[in-house]
Amino acid sequence: MNKIIICFLLVTGMATALQAQNRNSADMPFNRAEFLYNFPKPGAGKASFFFFGLKNNVRVTIDLINIKQVKYLPNLDSLVNTIKPNLRMLADSFKNDVFSRRIDYLVNGPYPQIRIHNYDKEPQQFVVKEGALNQLKTDQDTIRIKAYMEVAKEDILNSDLRYYPTNKPEMQPYFIMIILNNCADLLQLPDNSLQACVTKLKTDLNETYIATADPKAKYNASFNLNTNKMFSPGKLKWIKNPGSVQELVPNIYAGLQYTAGTFVPSFSAGLRYTFANRQFTTKRIYAMWEPHFFFSKDLLNKTITDRNDFITLRYISIERGKKEPFDFVGNVSLGYLIRKQGNWFEPNTFKVGIPGVRSGWLQLEPEFFFHDFLKGVSPSIKLTIHYE
């Protein structure tokens, strides 16, 4: 049994290391400018709140490192008023073209810093009016403000310090993203527009809720300021994404495969552990008891059922957001025969599952049976129904 555990840890450890490498390469920017202005990317923080119903079709997103920062949010109208004079210097040129753009504005530091992305390479659209071509602007502009707030030490996670280092550990970044028809429209934004978002957020996410909230979990909610209601989700208890907490639950699945010259049904029961961070992938480890059922006839033509039991450790990694009917699934499993009946398997039989394809609850994967360390290798194909 020790051998099976060691082999499984080696395989899953390699898979996890590769995934961590890919994840870090996707999350962590490779240049200083991206780290300075755009880390984390919009919506990648642990708490993101979206506000609709502002005047002139303005939308606002508040992106936080974790949910605890809600209680430290400052007056956002005062924050925006500090950037208006600097933005005014660019506003006239914004009005004279029809290109959409994104402005990244860094507030804190010795001097304000601004980065502008002009999307002037995008396809252009025109309307013919009175025999002349007039260019149209169909996409909105984005202003993303990065600022820092002072947070009490008890509300700062070690991961916050590692991923968002600052000269003062208690200073943590947060982002305000404003989407409007033209960046220059920020100068005419009515007073109290942004603070109304903060007021609504702090009212709905009251002090009691924030005090008991999990800073490691992910939270999302959308608000309509016209109706003064949170509409997605409909209730406060659902804004915590269940995919952001770890899970250890009983689990069952069933399978059918062709091996040892016959079709073999199987049933599995045990425990499933799901990792906490499921923003990009769902990663699970299974510890399962797997009886395999073999059917044959005796000399009197009576059906004989032989049950052969495996103890199986399985690791599965499923990428989120894919739409194809069948998707590749990162799957490795290692099983050991603990109960032998009939002549279907040799003593000390192992089985190894490798990556396959998946559609919903259905998973198709190759498996290999062997005994005494790679003797008598026998390939098979297994269809599994995961009840999740």
Side-chain angles (χ1 to χ4, degrees), residues 2-65:
N2 290 336
K3 294 176 181 177
I4 184 174
I5 294 174
I6 292 172
C7 292
F8 182 79
L9 291 176
L10 286 173
V11 175
T12 56
M14 291 171 61
T16 304
L18 288 173
Q19 283 198 341
Q21 186 179 19
N22 293 335
R23 171 74 188 276
N24 288 337
S25 64
D27 290 354
M28 296 292 291
F30 287 106
N31 63 73
R32 184 177 181 276
E34 278 296 292
F35 183 84
L36 188 64
Y37 293 104
N38 200 36
F39 180 70
K41 293 181 179 180
K46 292 190 182 74
S48 298
F49 303 103
F50 311 93
F51 299 87
F52 301 84
L54 281 77
K55 194 173 182 180
N56 297 326
N57 200 28
V58 173
R59 290 172 288 157
V60 174
T61 299
I62 299 177
D63 262 336
L64 306 177
I65 302 305

Side-chain angles (χ1 to χ4, degrees), residues 191-260:
D191 294 338
N192 201 43
S193 295
L194 299 183
Q195 194 54 27
C197 301
V198 176
T199 301
K200 178 61 177 172
L201 184 60
K202 289 186 175 181
T203 300
D204 284 18
L205 278 65
N206 53 70
E207 292 184 5
T208 302
Y209 184 86
I210 297 299
T212 57
D214 180 6
K216 296 180 181 179
K218 192 170 180 65
Y219 295 78
N220 294 284
S222 297
F223 302 85
N224 187 334
L225 296 182
N226 282 330
T227 61
N228 199 34
K229 291 183 179 180
M230 179 174 68
F231 65 89
S232 178
K235 293 184 179 181
L236 181 61
K237 64 180 180 179
W238 291 330
I239 75 167
K240 181 178 178 180
N241 185 342
S244 63
V245 294
Q246 61 186 0
E247 178 186 64
L248 180 64
V249 295
N251 187 80
I252 60 172
Y253 57 81
L256 177 68
Q257 66 192 112
Y258 187 82
T259 187

